[in-house]
Amino acid sequence: MMPPDRLTRFFHVIASLAVVVMMLTVVADVVLRFVFNIPVRGAYDVVGFGLLVMVFFGMAPVVARQGEILIDIVDDMLPAAMLGLLKLLASLGTLGFLVFLGWSMFGPAHDAYVYGDRSLELGVPLWTPWAVAFAGLAGTGWAALRRVLGQAADAANATEVES
């Protein structure tokens, strides 16, 4: 397993800050609404944007440390070389999924930009959250690519040792 690089650690910090901002916004909105009957203007947009940041920037550290949910049914039955190959295939699948996700996001993001869609409460142009999502997805793609290259090198080293 490759250690996380600076980019994935930075993404982890950004995702953590997004969670803190969401929590503080919700708490402030509930307290101000209950005590003074004054809701926080834009709380809905802030929490929605924070959730987007948390998800897309939180994926990179998970992918970098191979922290996805894992079911190891066949791990005890297969030789180490075969497990390395399965890990490589899973990492390639992760990278392929991220490429597919980015491709699928392009159309709605383009429409939001072309038609000038805006958020409900604050009127923020909706292309900006899409741009942030693409930035987070690019960092996750970088982490997935690093993982694929590292596992390919490990698999090549394992086959050299066996020969």
Side-chain angles (χ1 to χ4, degrees):
M1 180 169 73
M2 296 180 70
D5 62 345
R6 288 183 187 181
L7 181 67
T8 55
R9 286 185 295 210
F10 180 65
F11 274 36
H12 192 221
V13 168
I14 291 174
S16 301
L17 290 174
V19 171
V20 169
V21 167
M22 284 190 307
M23 289 188 317
L24 292 176
T25 302
V26 169
V27 169
D29 187 41
V30 169
V31 168
L32 289 174
R33 196 180 292 258
F34 181 72
V35 175
F36 301 109
N37 199 24
I38 301 171
V40 174
R41 182 177 176 268
Y44 180 78
D45 287 345
V46 169
V47 170
F49 189 69
L51 184 61
L52 177 133
V53 170
M54 182 198 68
V55 167
F56 280 96
F57 282 75
M59 285 191 297
V62 172
V63 169
R65 72 169 194 267
Q66 299 177 15
E68 299 97 334
I69 295 173
L70 179 67
I71 301 171
D72 54 355
I73 296 173
V74 297
D75 288 12
D76 295 333
M77 297 181 270
L78 297 176
M82 185 60 80
L83 285 178
L85 180 63
L86 285 177
K87 285 182 179 182
L88 179 60
L89 287 174
S91 295
L92 284 169
T94 299
L95 187 59
F97 170 75
L98 293 172
V99 169
F100 173 74
L101 183 61
W103 179 259
S104 298
M105 289 168 45
F106 181 75
H110 182 261
D111 289 347
Y113 179 75
V114 168
Y115 296 118
D117 295 344
R118 296 194 170 272
S119 67
L120 294 175
E121 292 183 350
L122 297 178
V124 176
L126 286 185
W127 65 265
T128 53
W130 282 105
V132 170
F134 278 114
L137 194 62
T140 305
W142 168 252
L145 183 62
R146 281 187 73 223
R147 193 167 101 182
V148 165
L149 295 176
Q151 288 175 343
D154 291 346
N157 291 338
T159 54
E160 286 179 10
V161 170
E162 287 180 4
S163 334

